Short mmCIF file of all heavy atoms in Angstrom, two decimals:
data_model
loop_
_atom_site.label_atom_id
_atom_site.label_comp_id
_atom_site.label_asym_id
_atom_site.label_seq_id
_atom_site.Cartn_x
_atom_site.Cartn_y
_atom_site.Cartn_z
N PHE A 247 55.83 24.53 -36.76
CA PHE A 247 57.27 24.33 -36.73
C PHE A 247 58.09 25.63 -36.64
O PHE A 247 59.30 25.58 -36.64
CB PHE A 247 57.70 23.53 -37.98
CG PHE A 247 56.98 22.23 -38.07
CD1 PHE A 247 55.93 22.06 -38.96
CD2 PHE A 247 57.31 21.18 -37.23
CE1 PHE A 247 55.25 20.86 -39.04
CE2 PHE A 247 56.64 19.97 -37.30
CZ PHE A 247 55.61 19.81 -38.20
N THR A 248 57.44 26.77 -36.60
CA THR A 248 58.14 28.05 -36.47
C THR A 248 57.42 28.90 -35.44
O THR A 248 56.35 28.53 -34.95
CB THR A 248 58.17 28.81 -37.82
OG1 THR A 248 56.84 29.18 -38.17
CG2 THR A 248 58.79 27.97 -38.93
N SER A 249 57.98 30.04 -35.11
CA SER A 249 57.38 30.92 -34.10
C SER A 249 56.30 31.82 -34.68
O SER A 249 55.68 32.57 -33.94
CB SER A 249 58.47 31.77 -33.46
OG SER A 249 59.09 32.59 -34.45
N ILE A 250 56.02 31.74 -35.97
CA ILE A 250 55.04 32.64 -36.58
C ILE A 250 53.65 32.46 -35.97
O ILE A 250 52.91 33.43 -35.80
CB ILE A 250 55.00 32.48 -38.12
CG1 ILE A 250 54.16 33.58 -38.77
CG2 ILE A 250 54.48 31.12 -38.53
CD1 ILE A 250 54.73 34.95 -38.65
N GLN A 251 53.30 31.25 -35.62
CA GLN A 251 51.99 30.98 -35.03
C GLN A 251 51.81 31.81 -33.75
O GLN A 251 50.79 32.47 -33.57
CB GLN A 251 51.90 29.49 -34.70
CG GLN A 251 50.54 28.89 -34.80
CD GLN A 251 50.60 27.40 -34.51
OE1 GLN A 251 51.35 26.95 -33.64
NE2 GLN A 251 49.82 26.64 -35.24
N GLN A 252 52.79 31.81 -32.89
CA GLN A 252 52.71 32.55 -31.64
C GLN A 252 52.72 34.05 -31.90
O GLN A 252 51.98 34.80 -31.27
CB GLN A 252 53.86 32.18 -30.71
CG GLN A 252 53.78 32.94 -29.39
CD GLN A 252 54.86 32.52 -28.43
OE1 GLN A 252 55.58 31.55 -28.66
NE2 GLN A 252 54.98 33.24 -27.35
N ARG A 253 53.53 34.50 -32.85
CA ARG A 253 53.57 35.93 -33.15
C ARG A 253 52.25 36.44 -33.70
O ARG A 253 51.81 37.53 -33.38
CB ARG A 253 54.73 36.25 -34.09
CG ARG A 253 56.07 36.16 -33.37
CD ARG A 253 57.23 36.59 -34.23
NE ARG A 253 57.60 35.45 -35.05
CZ ARG A 253 57.86 35.52 -36.35
NH1 ARG A 253 57.81 36.65 -36.97
NH2 ARG A 253 58.20 34.44 -37.03
N ILE A 254 51.59 35.63 -34.53
CA ILE A 254 50.28 36.00 -35.06
C ILE A 254 49.27 36.09 -33.92
O ILE A 254 48.50 37.05 -33.83
CB ILE A 254 49.81 35.00 -36.14
CG1 ILE A 254 50.66 35.16 -37.39
CG2 ILE A 254 48.33 35.21 -36.45
CD1 ILE A 254 50.43 34.09 -38.44
N ARG A 255 49.26 35.10 -33.02
CA ARG A 255 48.34 35.11 -31.89
C ARG A 255 48.56 36.33 -31.00
O ARG A 255 47.60 36.99 -30.59
CB ARG A 255 48.49 33.84 -31.06
CG ARG A 255 47.64 32.71 -31.56
CD ARG A 255 47.62 31.56 -30.57
NE ARG A 255 48.21 30.42 -31.28
CZ ARG A 255 49.24 29.72 -30.89
NH1 ARG A 255 49.84 29.96 -29.77
NH2 ARG A 255 49.71 28.74 -31.62
N GLU A 256 49.82 36.63 -30.70
CA GLU A 256 50.11 37.79 -29.85
C GLU A 256 49.70 39.09 -30.53
O GLU A 256 49.18 39.99 -29.89
CB GLU A 256 51.59 37.81 -29.48
CG GLU A 256 51.95 36.74 -28.48
CD GLU A 256 53.43 36.75 -28.13
OE1 GLU A 256 54.15 37.70 -28.51
OE2 GLU A 256 53.86 35.80 -27.47
N TYR A 257 49.90 39.19 -31.82
CA TYR A 257 49.50 40.38 -32.57
C TYR A 257 47.99 40.54 -32.53
O TYR A 257 47.47 41.63 -32.28
CB TYR A 257 49.99 40.28 -34.01
CG TYR A 257 49.51 41.41 -34.88
CD1 TYR A 257 50.06 42.68 -34.77
CD2 TYR A 257 48.49 41.21 -35.80
CE1 TYR A 257 49.61 43.72 -35.56
CE2 TYR A 257 48.04 42.24 -36.60
CZ TYR A 257 48.60 43.50 -36.47
OH TYR A 257 48.14 44.52 -37.26
N GLN A 258 47.26 39.46 -32.76
CA GLN A 258 45.80 39.53 -32.73
C GLN A 258 45.29 39.85 -31.34
O GLN A 258 44.32 40.59 -31.19
CB GLN A 258 45.20 38.20 -33.22
CG GLN A 258 45.39 38.00 -34.70
CD GLN A 258 45.00 36.62 -35.17
OE1 GLN A 258 44.93 35.67 -34.40
NE2 GLN A 258 44.76 36.49 -36.48
N GLN A 259 45.95 39.33 -30.32
CA GLN A 259 45.56 39.61 -28.94
C GLN A 259 45.72 41.08 -28.61
O GLN A 259 44.85 41.68 -27.99
CB GLN A 259 46.43 38.79 -27.99
CG GLN A 259 45.66 37.95 -27.04
CD GLN A 259 46.60 37.10 -26.19
OE1 GLN A 259 47.82 37.24 -26.23
NE2 GLN A 259 46.02 36.22 -25.43
N THR A 260 46.82 41.69 -29.02
CA THR A 260 47.04 43.10 -28.71
C THR A 260 46.07 43.99 -29.47
O THR A 260 45.71 45.06 -28.99
CB THR A 260 48.49 43.53 -29.02
OG1 THR A 260 48.78 43.27 -30.39
CG2 THR A 260 49.48 42.83 -28.13
N LYS A 261 45.62 43.54 -30.64
CA LYS A 261 44.65 44.31 -31.41
C LYS A 261 43.26 44.25 -30.79
O LYS A 261 42.52 45.21 -30.82
CB LYS A 261 44.58 43.81 -32.86
CG LYS A 261 45.72 44.32 -33.72
CD LYS A 261 45.59 43.84 -35.13
CE LYS A 261 44.32 44.42 -35.76
NZ LYS A 261 44.15 44.05 -37.17
N THR A 262 42.88 43.09 -30.26
CA THR A 262 41.52 42.90 -29.78
C THR A 262 41.34 43.17 -28.30
O THR A 262 40.24 43.43 -27.84
CB THR A 262 41.03 41.47 -30.07
OG1 THR A 262 41.89 40.55 -29.42
CG2 THR A 262 40.99 41.20 -31.56
N SER A 263 42.42 43.15 -27.55
CA SER A 263 42.28 43.30 -26.10
C SER A 263 43.50 43.98 -25.50
O SER A 263 44.61 43.67 -25.85
CB SER A 263 42.10 41.93 -25.46
OG SER A 263 42.10 42.03 -24.07
N ALA A 264 43.25 44.88 -24.59
CA ALA A 264 44.35 45.55 -23.90
C ALA A 264 44.60 44.89 -22.55
O ALA A 264 45.41 45.36 -21.77
CB ALA A 264 44.02 47.03 -23.71
N LYS A 265 43.91 43.80 -22.27
CA LYS A 265 44.07 43.10 -20.99
C LYS A 265 45.45 42.46 -20.90
O LYS A 265 45.94 41.91 -21.86
CB LYS A 265 43.02 42.01 -20.83
CG LYS A 265 41.61 42.53 -20.73
CD LYS A 265 40.66 41.36 -20.60
CE LYS A 265 39.23 41.84 -20.59
NZ LYS A 265 38.29 40.72 -20.52
N GLN A 266 46.02 42.51 -19.73
CA GLN A 266 47.30 41.85 -19.46
C GLN A 266 47.02 40.53 -18.76
O GLN A 266 46.09 40.42 -17.99
CB GLN A 266 48.18 42.73 -18.57
CG GLN A 266 48.60 44.03 -19.21
CD GLN A 266 49.52 43.77 -20.41
OE1 GLN A 266 50.30 42.85 -20.41
NE2 GLN A 266 49.39 44.59 -21.43
N PRO A 267 47.84 39.50 -19.01
CA PRO A 267 47.64 38.22 -18.32
C PRO A 267 47.92 38.39 -16.83
O PRO A 267 48.68 39.28 -16.43
CB PRO A 267 48.67 37.30 -18.97
CG PRO A 267 49.67 38.19 -19.60
CD PRO A 267 48.97 39.48 -19.91
N PRO A 268 47.30 37.56 -16.01
CA PRO A 268 47.57 37.63 -14.57
C PRO A 268 49.05 37.46 -14.29
O PRO A 268 49.72 36.69 -14.98
CB PRO A 268 46.77 36.46 -13.98
CG PRO A 268 45.82 36.05 -15.05
CD PRO A 268 46.37 36.52 -16.36
N PRO A 269 49.60 38.17 -13.28
CA PRO A 269 51.04 38.10 -13.02
C PRO A 269 51.52 36.70 -12.65
O PRO A 269 52.67 36.38 -12.85
CB PRO A 269 51.26 39.07 -11.86
CG PRO A 269 49.93 39.47 -11.38
CD PRO A 269 48.90 39.06 -12.39
N HIS A 270 50.66 35.84 -12.11
CA HIS A 270 51.09 34.50 -11.72
C HIS A 270 51.20 33.55 -12.91
O HIS A 270 51.77 32.48 -12.80
CB HIS A 270 50.14 33.91 -10.68
CG HIS A 270 48.78 33.63 -11.22
ND1 HIS A 270 47.81 34.60 -11.32
CD2 HIS A 270 48.22 32.50 -11.73
CE1 HIS A 270 46.71 34.08 -11.84
NE2 HIS A 270 46.94 32.81 -12.10
N LYS A 271 50.66 33.94 -14.05
CA LYS A 271 50.68 33.07 -15.23
C LYS A 271 51.94 33.37 -16.05
O LYS A 271 52.10 34.43 -16.61
CB LYS A 271 49.44 33.32 -16.08
CG LYS A 271 49.32 32.36 -17.24
CD LYS A 271 48.03 32.58 -17.99
CE LYS A 271 47.93 31.61 -19.13
NZ LYS A 271 46.70 31.78 -19.88
N ALA A 272 52.84 32.41 -16.10
CA ALA A 272 54.08 32.59 -16.85
C ALA A 272 53.80 32.39 -18.34
O ALA A 272 53.13 31.46 -18.73
CB ALA A 272 55.13 31.60 -16.37
N GLN A 273 54.34 33.28 -19.15
CA GLN A 273 54.19 33.18 -20.59
C GLN A 273 55.54 33.37 -21.25
O GLN A 273 56.35 34.16 -20.80
CB GLN A 273 53.25 34.26 -21.13
CG GLN A 273 51.81 33.91 -21.03
CD GLN A 273 50.98 34.92 -21.83
OE1 GLN A 273 51.38 36.05 -22.02
NE2 GLN A 273 49.83 34.49 -22.28
#
């Protein structure tokens, strides 16, 4: 019900991977 879930996922993603999503994939 809040944006914390997405912020946690994005934080974990930046810690574990420096890969960027493909440019055609909208996020």
Side-chain angles (χ1 to χ4, degrees):
F247 304 103
T248 66
S249 61
I250 190 67
Q251 212 177 38
Q252 181 176 350
R253 287 185 278 135
I254 290 171
R255 273 190 242 124
E256 287 179 10
Y257 175 75
Q258 289 171 340
Q259 235 176 6
T260 57
K261 281 182 64 177
T262 59
S263 174
K265 294 179 184 178
Q266 295 295 325
H270 68 277
K271 186 176 181 180
Q273 277 191 334

